[in-house]
């Protein structure tokens, strides 16, 4: 892993990966939208409203995936002091927050016609809302210090404490069986969902992951450039100070 | 036209389905736009800073050869 901790090597790999990730995102999201909106059947119970699933469920997966990725990067930053791990964690947070927000709002838009309510304090919904607050807390904390390194460290610790919420989200539907339906894709004994619905679901999931890769590369590039700008400005201030002393 | 209307109405759930997809597109496009913009702004700023000090190596090698008085005289 240390091979990839070098920002120059990251930039080289990122330049190679970026166009492919963009291509995969455009193709899978395009196909996913078509299959999700037109090329798949209506549900026998939920009618056409089931199409909300094709954005809601992959967004929920991404909310948990991005948080786990952020926590793993934070752990690597705390333990091995990887120069890139902090930047990757920082770059992932807004994507995860955006997907969690999409999941919550599309869930409300699905809940109104199907459950008759926008929101209930069901275990799955509540733990997902906590996930959104963890993302917001992480981003606020990372920027709350004058010294970016101290902010990073505090935010990394918060993300590690908050990772306990991810398994709670996953199994909340089994532990507290209230209103949200249990898992039907990732479960023991194989998925309980027809392939006509599985295709758009998987296309959207792949597309969202590719989107994450694109945004991750862009944001990490911005973070690397920002770190270099900070170093150069510090060197300028230092040089000016030396000149005054001379 | 009939089939288009049927498609848009989504069996009566059109408002919910279309607002879900619209929200997803708007949020993801917003994240992408902000990320492209951040990368571009910071990289431009870095290039400007680097072009401002092309004699970085020379200056670092001999920091005492350019005292501030030289600009005044």
């Amino acid at each position: 892993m240390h091979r990839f901790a070098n920002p120059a090597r990251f930039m080289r790999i990122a330049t190679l990966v970026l166009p492919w990730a963009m291509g995969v995102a455009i193709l899978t999201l395009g196909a996913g939208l078509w299959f999700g909106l037109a090329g798949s059947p209506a549900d026998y119970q939920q009618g056409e409203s089931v199409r909300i699933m094709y954005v809601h469920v992959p967004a929920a997966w991404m909310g948990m995936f991005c948080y786990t990725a952020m926590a793993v990067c934070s752990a690597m930053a705390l333990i091995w002091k990887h120069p890139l791990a902090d930047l990757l964690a920082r770059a992932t947070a807004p994507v995860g927050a955006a997907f969690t927000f999409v999941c919550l709002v599309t869930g409300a838009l699905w809940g109104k016609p199907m459950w008759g309510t926008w929101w209930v304090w069901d275990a799955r919904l509540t733990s997902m809302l906590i996930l959104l607050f963890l993302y917001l807390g992480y981003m606020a904390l990372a920027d709350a210090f004058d010294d970016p390194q101290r902010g990073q460290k505090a935010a990394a610790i918060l993300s590690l404490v908050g990772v306990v919420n991810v398994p709670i989200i996953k199994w909340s539907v089994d532990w507290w069986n209230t209103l949200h339906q249990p898992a039907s894709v990732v479960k023991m004994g194989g998925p309980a969902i027809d392939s006509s619905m599985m295709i758009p679901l998987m296309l959207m999931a792949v597309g969202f992951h590719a989107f994450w890769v694109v945004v991750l590369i862009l944001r990490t590039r911005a973070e690397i450039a920002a770190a270099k700008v900070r170093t150069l400005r510090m060197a300028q201030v230092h040089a000016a100070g030396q000149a005054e002393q001379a | 036209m009939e089939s288009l209307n049927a498609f848009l109405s989504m069996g009566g759930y059109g408002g919910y389905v279309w607002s879900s997809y619209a929200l997803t597109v708007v949020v993801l496009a917003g994240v992408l736009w902000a990320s492209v913009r951040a990368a571009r702004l910071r990289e431009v700023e870095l290039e400007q800073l680097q072009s401002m000090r092309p004699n970085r190596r020379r200056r670092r090698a001999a920091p005492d050869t350019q005292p501030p008085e030289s600009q005044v005289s």
Side-chain angles (χ1 to χ4, degrees):
Chain A
M1 275 313 284
H2 263 285
R3 290 163 53 84
F4 299 104
N6 177 335
R9 186 173 281 120
F10 171 84
M11 293 293 272
R12 271 205 303 281
I13 296 170
T15 313
L16 283 177
V17 172
L18 187 61
W20 288 96
M22 274 166 29
V24 169
I26 291 168
L27 286 178
T28 51
L29 290 179
L33 283 178
W34 190 83
F35 276 107
L37 287 167
S40 60
D43 188 68
Y44 78 107
Q45 279 182 326
Q46 307 201 350
E48 304 281 354
S49 81
V50 78
R51 302 191 189 286
I52 297 174
M53 174 174 76
Y54 305 126
V55 286
H56 173 75
V57 171
W61 289 341
M62 290 307 294
M64 294 195 281
F65 168 80
C66 290
Y67 196 91
T68 312
M70 196 174 89
V72 169
C73 286
S74 296
M76 296 205 302
L78 287 174
I79 299 167
W80 291 297
K81 307 260 185 290
H82 276 211
L84 262 181
D86 264 336
L87 302 187
L88 289 171
R90 262 177 87 96
T92 295
V95 193
F99 277 119
T100 307
F101 177 74
V102 164
C103 171
L104 285 167
V105 179
T106 56
L109 286 164
W110 199 5
K112 187 61 187 167
M114 288 302 111
W115 297 339
T117 176
W118 300 104
W119 183 264
V120 279
W121 292 101
D122 163 276
R124 171 58 70 81
L125 279 68
T126 308
S127 53
M128 211 60 197
L129 185 65
I130 291 172
L131 186 74
L132 180 64
F133 290 149
L134 282 169
Y135 276 121
L136 299 180
Y138 174 91
M139 290 190 283
L141 200 54
D143 287 331
F145 292 81
D146 290 333
D147 175 5
Q149 299 232 305
R150 285 184 66 191
Q152 270 311 310
K153 199 168 180 185
I157 292 168
L158 172 71
S159 80
L160 285 183
V161 174
V163 82
V164 68
N165 192 36
V166 172
I168 292 180
I169 296 172
K170 173 77 182 86
W171 286 296
S172 57
V173 281
D174 304 318
W175 294 340
W176 304 278
N177 201 337
T178 44
L179 189 54
H180 195 285
Q181 65 164 341
S184 46
V185 179
V186 187
K187 64 175 216 169
M188 302 284 284
I193 181 168
D194 190 71
S195 65
S196 61
M197 291 181 171
M198 201 63 156
I199 289 169
L201 202 53
M202 288 302 139
L203 282 170
M204 294 300 281
V206 172
F208 280 179
H209 279 87
F211 175 85
W212 169 74
V213 172
V214 170
V215 174
L216 187 75
I217 287 175
L218 289 170
R219 297 194 85 90
T220 308
R221 264 172 48 183
E223 296 282 353
I224 290 175
K228 284 185 184 164
V229 165
R230 268 201 302 275
T231 316
L232 281 178
R233 289 217 188 283
M234 224 110 87
Q236 274 182 344
V237 171
H238 189 67
Q242 275 190 337
E244 266 173 42
Q245 279 177 354
Chain B
M1 207 56 209
E2 277 287 293
S3 63
L4 181 69
N5 279 337
F7 178 63
L8 289 179
S9 81
M10 285 282 165
Y13 297 117
Y16 300 108
V17 173
W18 291 112
S19 28
S20 293
Y21 279 79
L23 174 95
T24 309
V25 169
V26 167
V27 169
L28 295 193
V31 169
L32 186 64
W33 177 80
S35 309
V36 169
R37 192 163 169 274
R40 195 173 291 159
L41 283 178
R42 300 244 171 104
E43 281 170 357
V44 165
E45 192 185 3
L46 178 63
E47 264 171 42
Q48 282 174 345
L49 265 181
Q50 280 171 339
S51 65
M52 268 166 61
R53 43 192 326 230
N55 52 345
R56 201 168 107 196
R57 267 158 210 262
R58 258 187 293 142
R59 210 192 291 174
R60 197 178 276 175
D64 296 333
T65 52
Q66 286 182 312
E69 288 83 359
S70 64
Q71 290 171 345
V72 182
S73 57

